Amino acid sequence: MSDRWPRSPEEATALARLYDVDMLEDPGDLDLYLALAERAGGAILELGVGTGRVAIPLAAAGHAVTGVDNDPAMLDRARRRGRAEGGATHDLLTLHEADIRDLRLADGAFSMAFIALNSLLLLPTREAQRDAVRTMAGHLAPGGIAIVDVWQPDADDLARFDGRVILEYPRRDPESGRLVVKVASALHDASTQIVSLTTIYEEGDPGTPPVRWLRQDRLRLVSADELRGFGEDAGLEVEALAGGYDLEPIGPGSERAILVATKG
Ligand SMILES: C[S@@+](CC[C@H](N)C(=O)[O-])C[C@H]1O[C@@H](n2cnc3c(N)ncnc32)[C@H](O)[C@@H]1O
């Protein structure tokens, strides 16, 4: 998912596949993007498109989607999924390998642009995150819709992020047929708002030695207020700051902050 540590192509490919195993537990955000895409009624840009979990259903619904990611292995899977869908879906999907921070597609070309499911948190600093929202806004046409979705851990979550190892799941990968066991350890640094996340996936068949894959991520947490500020700094008009995918207002206990904004 990133270039934060040396990885072999084999490791990158496995981690992209295992991202989709994580996503077997549906985050539940797709209907929101489909509804906003209908409203936007034009070309869509996704920053941090990953394996195309959201972009491909949007293209399958008839929207032209451009997806950008800096991880070639994630993009490879998105490309393959697009090809497997075939026909119009494949034709409506454009994928670019690029860093969000350096992205310069045609300004004002998109009716909707979004950063889904914590991708913003993978940008290492407040400045990089603010720049990413600016980049997104710059690519929107007047009246275009911007959406950013970030996780809001609560105090209990943060208290658990003290380095202890937590079993996330045992789950079967439908692609390889193998059983995958995922464990993770997180460390929260309150002074920097950074959660350092180490994930280990072990997969194998009964009676054979497991293969182990390691992933390390740094998530810079963003408060709902900060997210609103990023939108306003980018010249966007904030339409909603929601606490979930039904766009219910954010409040105590909300697990997500979802900014929906428009370009004036
Ligand atoms: C949590 S995944 C989300 C993928 C997809 N949007 C989804 O919702 O399933 C985050 C994605 O952002 C990408 N990413 C992280 N930092 C990036 C950057 N600076 N530029 C481009 N892509 C980035 C990662 O490679 C990864 O594919």
Side-chain angles (χ1 to χ4, degrees):
M1 289 174 62
S2 75
D3 54 1
R4 275 178 290 278
W5 76 99
R7 290 187 339 200
S8 64
E10 185 198 15
E11 189 180 19
T13 301
L15 290 175
R17 173 173 54 77
L18 291 163
Y19 177 78
D20 283 339
V21 175
D22 285 347
M23 291 299 112
L24 289 173
E25 189 176 327
D26 178 9
D29 52 357
L30 190 54
D31 286 350
L32 172 65
Y33 291 111
L34 285 166
L36 291 172
E38 279 302 312
R39 187 182 127 191
I44 298 173
L45 173 65
E46 181 177 6
L47 301 181
V49 67
T51 59
R53 182 185 65 84
V54 179
I56 287 169
L58 286 173
H63 304 286
V65 184
T66 298
V68 174
D69 207 285
N70 65 351
D71 185 330
M74 297 288 271
L75 283 172
D76 264 4
R77 286 186 72 80
R79 225 168 258 125
R80 270 199 282 138
R81 270 162 103 158
R83 269 199 301 270
E85 291 279 330
T89 303
H90 179 247
D91 296 343
L92 286 168
L93 185 68
T94 307
L95 297 169
H96 289 290
E97 184 182 333
D99 195 296
I100 295 172
R101 290 166 288 187
D102 309 326
L103 188 69
R104 300 279 179 278
L105 302 175
D107 277 355
F110 296 92
S111 299
M112 173 171 137
F114 65 99
I115 306 177
L117 202 67
N118 307 326
S119 301
L120 188 73
L121 306 185
L122 291 168
L123 294 165
T125 61
R126 180 186 172 88
E127 291 66 40
Q129 292 171 333
R130 186 192 285 119
D131 287 351
V133 177
R134 263 202 205 116
T135 298
M136 179 180 64
H139 285 86
L140 279 175
I145 307 172
I147 308 112
V148 187
D149 167 26
V150 294
W151 173 49
Q152 301 290 284
D154 63 18
D156 287 345
D157 288 329
L158 295 179
R160 274 195 303 274
F161 296 164
D162 58 2
R164 74 186 78 169
V165 176
I166 294 173
L167 172 67
E168 298 277 345
Y169 59 70
R171 193 173 284 173
R172 199 157 294 279
D173 176 358
E175 200 171 304
S176 68
R178 274 182 247 139
L179 185 68
V180 179
V181 177
K182 176 182 178 183
V183 296
S185 157
L187 257 184
H188 175 230
D189 180 343
S191 66
T192 57
Q193 292 178 214
I194 287 179
V195 175
S196 303
L197 190 60
T198 302
T199 310
I200 297 169
Y201 299 91
E202 268 194 3
E203 56 180 348
D205 299 307
T208 61
V211 181
R212 190 170 293 154
W213 306 103
L214 175 76
R215 190 170 87 200
Q216 287 184 306
D217 291 298
R218 280 158 56 90
L219 305 180
R220 184 190 176 273
L221 300 177
V222 171
S223 72
D225 234 30
E226 206 176 8
L227 183 59
R228 178 193 290 279
F230 289 162
E232 289 169 350
D233 284 350
L236 295 169
E237 287 168 22
V238 175
E239 195 176 287
L241 192 58
Y245 298 123
D246 293 331
L247 295 188
E248 63 274 20
I250 193 161
S254 295
E255 289 180 4
R256 315 212 61 81
I258 301 165
L259 175 78
V260 181
T262 51
K263 183 152 167 176

